[in-house]
Amino acid sequence: MFAGGLLLGVTLLFFAFWLQWTEHRGWPHDTFDGDDDIEYRRRRKKSRLLVNVLIGICGALILAATFAGVGVVYLAAWSIVTLTLMVIVILAGLDAFRTHRHHQDKIRRMRKRALDD
């Protein structure tokens, strides 16, 4: 159980760091060419920073629970991890919805531009 908690905690910390690093450096095939794209990307970076921090907190709490052993700290840490993961799922859904809306608006603008020309 100790090794599993250690592996899970370190993996989540690494994953949070990797996601933030990739978001900061840019994803492959990620192109932004308009003012709306710049605003969308700014909002997306802010939202994803929050999610990545929450993932890192989950990793740290799992490590704390692993080193503390079964007891009050263990129960509290895992309870917080559970609630935090639910928040992450909700935030990820909102991010997906925002991305979908952005792409739909972008397609509408391109169609309008093509029809106007």
Side-chain angles (χ1 to χ4, degrees):
M1 190 154 144
F2 181 81
L6 194 62
L7 181 65
L8 183 59
V10 169
T11 301
L12 282 177
L13 285 171
F14 173 77
F15 186 61
F17 173 76
W18 176 78
L19 282 173
Q20 187 58 35
W21 183 72
T22 306
E23 183 66 30
H24 180 70
R25 293 186 42 91
W27 292 90
H29 311 293
D30 212 7
T31 58
F32 297 97
D33 50 5
D35 291 337
D36 294 335
D37 291 333
I38 292 169
E39 175 62 22
Y40 161 73
R41 188 169 187 180
R42 185 190 61 77
R43 288 180 24 223
R44 183 183 82 173
K45 274 187 165 185
K46 185 178 177 183
S47 170
R48 290 187 180 175
L49 171 65
L50 175 62
V51 169
N52 296 339
V53 166
L54 289 174
I55 291 171
I57 289 171
C58 285
L61 285 171
I62 290 170
L63 287 176
T66 300
F67 285 111
V70 178
V72 175
V73 173
Y74 181 87
L75 183 62
W78 275 106
S79 297
I80 294 169
V81 166
T82 302
L83 294 173
T84 304
L85 289 175
M86 283 190 260
V87 169
I88 289 171
V89 168
I90 292 167
L91 291 174
L94 291 173
D95 184 50
F97 181 68
R98 179 176 42 246
T99 300
H100 177 73
R101 275 192 10 226
H102 171 72
H103 285 290
Q104 291 295 334
D105 290 341
K106 193 172 186 176
I107 289 171
R108 277 190 215 106
R109 286 192 309 272
M110 288 189 320
R111 282 184 185 151
K112 184 177 180 185
R113 202 174 330 132
L115 291 174
D116 288 345
D117 290 341

